[in-house]
Amino acid sequence: MASISRRMVTSVLFVLLLLVATEIGTMRVAEARHRHRHRHRHCESQSHRFRGACWSDNNCAHVCNTEDFPSGNCKFHGFESKCFCKKPCYQLS
């Protein structure tokens, strides 16, 4: 009797695993189709709160987070290194 219930549990777990894997695959396909319809670019804006020369991407990203940007990095602007914040922006193709 124990072997039957063990086989049953194994079979049920296998079916659940297949269902979860299929669902994840479907989500990835839908996500890829969404990206195909919308060209993904990064919009940049110079940080308004960062002060001084920008030498650390981590510091820049932290300040950009306080400005509601997900990331940021240092870039040379002329002869100065400044902090630029980035966020994804979408444009219909």
Side-chain angles (χ1 to χ4, degrees), residues 50 54-65 71-76 81-84 86:
F50 195 91
C54 184
W55 300 110
S56 169
D57 286 339
N58 288 335
N59 289 344
C60 177
H62 179 70
V63 172
C64 288
N65 286 335
S71 66
N73 62 343
C74 301
K75 284 189 166 189
F76 276 98
S81 181
K82 297 188 176 187
C83 177
F84 284 86
K86 289 184 188 180

Side-chain angles (χ1 to χ4, degrees), residues 16-91:
L16 286 174
L17 180 66
L18 284 176
L19 288 173
V20 169
T22 305
E23 184 64 30
I24 290 172
T26 305
M27 290 184 339
R28 286 187 179 166
V29 168
E31 185 178 301
R33 286 183 183 158
H34 177 73
R35 276 195 221 133
H36 181 68
R37 273 187 265 145
H38 297 21
R39 279 188 292 187
H40 181 71
R41 305 180 321 161
H42 280 96
C43 294
E44 292 184 335
S45 174
Q46 186 177 340
S47 173
H48 295 285
R49 294 183 183 160
F50 195 91
R51 298 289 176 239
C54 184
W55 300 110
S56 169
D57 286 339
N58 288 335
N59 289 344
C60 177
H62 179 70
V63 172
C64 288
N65 286 335
T66 67
E67 297 180 37
D68 294 326
F69 284 86
S71 66
N73 62 343
C74 301
K75 284 189 166 189
F76 276 98
H77 185 74
F79 293 107
E80 295 179 288
S81 181
K82 297 188 176 187
C83 177
F84 284 86
C85 302
K86 289 184 188 180
K87 68 178 179 179
C89 54
Y90 298 94
Q91 181 180 15

